Amino acid sequence: MAEQLRLMAVHAHPDDESSKGAATMAKYVAQGVDVLVVTCTGGERGSVLNPKLDRPDVWANIADIRRAEMDAARAILGIEQAWLGFVDSGLPEGDPLPPLPEGCFALQDVEVAAGPLVRLMREFRPHVVTTYDEEGGYPHPDHIMCHKVSMAAFEAAGDPERYPELGTPWQPLKLYYDIGFSKGKIMALHEGMLAAGKESPYEEWLQRWEDRPDKGPRITTRVNCAEYFPVRDDALRAHATQVDPDGFWFQVPMELQQRAWPTEDFQLARSVVDSPLPESDLFAGVRETAHAR
């Protein structure tokens, strides 16, 4: 009998799992895949982006609230979830940028910080891992550190000479970067809104795009998961301090999203199995080999 398929998604903060690849995870859960989200930090220094919750009592209990929000999102997505236990670095602002807080995630030694993730990889034994690219998806210090730690753990988890005290070695077969937004996706949603006679929330994004590289050419894998976009949005709304339910992310009607861009997109960054590109399945090349693991 083929081995149970397992997917691990490594994210920087609670809420990242619901805004990046959530519909893909929900689809695989529905197919019977075991999915584990690893959350590197507690999100303690994140902003409260829901004006209804920007209150002193919320800020006073923000760490506990973020954990409760993560638990609610986990239940909606049907996933497992584990905390690595690092402290949020915050997003520094200003010119020059202020120093990062002492002891925060982004200032950890990569080899040391990768240890807890190596342990989880050896315990959960994922066939596929998703994380952020070298820019962190966007340049938040915790997202960049999440990339570094994910890459280090992916390379070390299967090596019996690395971290020998952290369990029996296990080599994941594939690693992907989330590609949340490409110019093609933004254009499709923008043009869909205009064609429907609606005001597009992406006008300003497109005006700024000339100053940003387009990650669309990096996409190798498009997972059709439009059916699970409502689950994604429900999970995102569960992070009530992190998202305004009347805000930007919910301005495009669901049926338009599903029609204009029905996939979540990824870049295959590492693979130890054969899988011709482009792909439509994160487990392409894995399903055929998992029974031998």
Side-chain angles (χ1 to χ4, degrees):
M1 181 176 292
E3 182 177 351
Q4 172 70 32
L5 295 176
R6 293 178 295 276
L7 169 66
M8 173 183 282
V10 188
H11 288 284
H13 311 106
D15 86 281
D16 287 328
E17 84 297 326
S18 296
S19 61
K20 304 166 187 67
T24 295
M25 292 192 295
K27 175 177 180 173
Y28 284 124
V29 167
Q31 292 179 356
V33 175
D34 285 344
V35 179
L36 173 66
V37 162
V38 179
T39 312
C40 294
T41 79
E44 302 90 347
R45 291 191 170 100
S47 301
V48 174
L49 299 176
N50 184 346
K52 299 181 183 69
L53 295 176
D54 191 1
R55 307 189 309 258
D57 61 307
V58 170
W59 280 108
N61 297 286
I62 194 66
D64 290 341
I65 289 171
R66 293 250 157 97
R67 291 183 77 90
E69 290 173 345
M70 181 69 249
D71 198 47
R74 176 201 58 73
I76 290 167
L77 293 171
I79 59 172
E80 300 175 59
Q81 189 264 340
W83 302 92
L84 280 196
F86 295 103
V87 177
D88 191 343
S89 306
L91 182 59
E93 296 180 308
D95 187 14
L97 292 174
L100 292 172
E102 183 178 353
C104 70
F105 180 47
L107 293 181
Q108 302 299 309
D109 178 87
V110 172
E111 285 296 306
V112 174
L117 186 55
V118 169
R119 182 191 297 275
L120 277 177
M121 285 185 177
R122 290 175 176 177
E123 291 175 352
F124 182 67
R125 303 192 307 164
H127 300 96
V128 174
V129 175
T130 67
T131 190
Y132 313 139
D133 66 16
E134 66 283 354
E135 296 175 346
Y138 79 105
H140 189 299
D142 284 338
H143 284 240
I144 294 170
M145 186 62 168
C146 180
H147 162 80
K148 293 177 180 178
V149 168
S150 298
M151 302 306 291
F154 183 88
E155 300 296 338
D159 186 345
E161 296 184 1
R162 305 277 303 280
Y163 306 93
E165 73 283 6
L166 298 183
T168 303
W170 173 266
Q171 180 59 60
L173 299 177
K174 300 173 85 174
L175 181 141
Y176 289 90
Y177 299 152
D178 290 291
I179 306 293
F181 286 96
S182 60
K183 189 173 184 180
K185 178 176 180 176
I186 297 304
M187 283 296 299
L189 294 170
H190 173 72
E191 292 173 354
M193 288 291 281
L194 297 182
K198 299 178 182 294
E199 182 178 355
S200 170
Y202 298 108
E203 186 76 44
E204 188 176 330
W205 274 36
L206 290 170
Q207 291 174 359
R208 296 197 311 263
W209 202 278
E210 292 183 2
D211 300 327
R212 300 174 54 191
D214 179 19
K215 295 186 178 181
R218 297 176 61 167
I219 296 170
T220 61
T221 312
R222 302 178 188 271
V223 179
N224 194 317
C225 52
E227 177 184 354
Y228 298 93
F229 286 180
V231 180
R232 172 204 65 192
D233 284 6
D234 286 346
L236 189 56
R237 280 187 286 263
H239 292 281
T241 59
Q242 290 287 82
V243 61
D244 181 354
D246 302 316
F248 178 87
W249 298 113
F250 304 105
Q251 292 183 22
V252 180
M254 179 57 63
E255 62 276 10
L256 194 156
Q257 293 184 51
Q258 293 171 319
R259 181 175 67 254
W261 201 269
T263 65
E264 288 183 336
D265 307 325
F266 302 84
Q267 178 189 356
L268 179 61
R270 298 282 190 278
S271 182
V272 297
V273 296
D274 292 329
S275 179
L277 301 179
E279 305 172 318
S280 60
D281 178 14
L282 300 184
F283 290 91
V286 173
R287 297 180 189 276
E288 298 82 358
T289 61
H291 69 279
R293 298 299 297 271

